């Protein structure tokens, strides 16, 4: 139950950030029909699963092999909470950054850091920053609480070598399927997000 809750928490945060992108860029997306918005969100889940297959799948894999090693397990959870937090932060930056460079965050984005004072990047977008930080803080809080529940739950379980092996195989299989976007012939790529003639709408998918 708590393992599922941990996964759903991450999926919920990606969905909230997608909704935030929609609201913040409403002037460019308001021409989309309700069906097209729903289609963007549903297709976006495939990309969310692909990302979570790594950041959550690997976390669960480590959870199995740090069984009953309380301190190591806690460090493992904190590491992946930090990794997911960074990914969420990049998605938050993309909500407005796309308006500046017409593409998502990349290495070339760092050139903008020297273009002005930090206040120029925060104060005009105070509402966006406040909401985004609230989402990020909420994620860290709930992820930590759920990770504690998982650690307590599995510390009291009988988790022998055979179960570890079976769970490892299951996680690897599910992670590979999610990571490639399903069972289709070709793995999921950014091209699969281009389902509209509207660039903003396609970035809503992502």
């Amino acid at each position: 139950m708590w393992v599922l809750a941990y996964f759903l928490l991450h999926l919920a945060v990606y969905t909230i950030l997608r909704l935030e992108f929609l609201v913040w860029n409403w002037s460019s997306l308001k021409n989309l029909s309700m069906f097209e918005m729903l289609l963007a969100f549903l297709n976006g889940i495939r990309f969310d699963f692909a990302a979570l297959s790594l950041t959550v799948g690997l976390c669960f894999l480590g959870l199995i092999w740090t069984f009953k090693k309380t301190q190591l397990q806690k460090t493992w959870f904190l590491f992946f909470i930090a990794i997911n937090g960074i990914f969420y932060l990049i998605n938050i930056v993309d909500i407005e950054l796309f308006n500046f460079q017409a593409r998502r965050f990349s290495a070339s984005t760092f050139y903008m850091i020297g273009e002005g004072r930090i206040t120029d990047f925060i104060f005009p977008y105070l509402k966006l920053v406040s909401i985004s930080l609230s989402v990020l803080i909420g994620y860290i809080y709930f992820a930590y609480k759920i990770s504690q529940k998982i650690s307590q739950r599995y510390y009291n379980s009988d988790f022998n070598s055979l179960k570890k092996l079976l769970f490892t195989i299951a996680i690897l299989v599910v992670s590979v399927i999610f990571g490639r976007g399903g069972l289709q012939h070709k793995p999921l790529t950014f091209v699969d997000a281009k389902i509209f003639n509207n660039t903003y709408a396609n970035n809503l998918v992502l």
Side-chain angles (χ1 to χ4, degrees):
M1 175 185 173
W2 289 111
V3 168
L4 179 61
Y6 189 76
F7 176 81
L8 291 177
L9 170 66
H10 291 77
L11 187 61
V13 174
Y14 273 125
T15 302
I16 291 170
L17 294 180
R18 187 169 287 110
L19 180 61
E20 196 174 352
F21 183 90
L22 173 63
V23 173
W24 187 258
N25 296 288
W26 181 250
S27 60
S28 301
L29 295 168
K30 61 184 179 182
N31 291 329
L32 291 177
S33 67
M34 188 62 68
F35 175 76
E36 288 174 323
M37 290 180 190
L38 180 60
L39 193 62
F41 274 75
L42 290 176
N43 276 272
I45 290 175
R46 293 181 68 200
F47 287 89
D48 297 342
F49 275 16
L52 295 177
S53 67
L54 291 175
T55 58
V56 175
L58 286 176
C59 182
F60 287 160
L61 198 60
L63 173 65
I64 293 171
W65 296 101
T66 57
F67 181 62
K68 288 194 182 276
K69 298 175 182 177
T70 308
Q71 195 56 46
L72 183 59
Q73 199 170 81
K74 184 181 293 186
T75 303
W76 186 257
F77 265 122
L78 289 175
F79 173 73
F80 275 94
I81 289 172
I83 290 294
N84 278 290
I86 291 171
F87 285 160
Y88 294 147
L89 188 60
I90 291 172
N91 272 276
I92 288 168
V93 170
D94 275 342
I95 292 172
E96 172 57 28
L97 183 64
F98 187 78
N99 292 312
F100 281 91
Q101 57 180 25
R103 64 177 185 270
R104 293 171 61 83
F105 187 92
S106 63
S108 62
T109 305
F110 288 106
Y111 84 90
M112 295 181 65
I113 294 176
E115 294 297 312
R117 296 171 301 175
I118 190 66
T119 53
D120 296 333
F121 291 95
I122 294 179
F123 289 132
Y125 312 105
L126 198 55
K127 186 181 294 185
L128 177 64
V129 170
S130 300
I131 294 172
S132 299
L133 285 180
S134 298
V135 173
L136 195 59
I137 292 169
Y139 159 71
I140 293 171
Y141 173 79
F142 285 110
Y144 180 71
K145 287 294 184 182
I146 293 174
S147 69
Q148 286 184 314
K149 293 290 185 181
I150 293 173
S151 296
Q152 293 168 6
R153 169 72 176 80
Y154 285 93
Y155 188 84
N156 298 317
S157 301
D158 178 23
F159 216 56
N160 56 39
S161 297
L162 179 59
K163 284 185 177 179
K164 284 183 179 181
L165 181 61
L166 292 175
F167 272 97
T168 297
I169 294 172
I171 289 173
L172 287 174
V173 170
V174 172
S175 293
V176 168
I177 292 173
F178 280 177
R180 68 188 310 279
L183 297 172
Q184 72 279 357
H185 180 64
K186 293 183 178 180
L188 188 70
T189 66
F190 289 115
V191 176
D192 294 295
K194 295 181 179 179
I195 60 177
F196 303 107
N197 291 323
N198 184 318
T199 304
Y200 269 95
N202 292 326
N203 276 273
L204 176 63
V205 174
L206 295 172

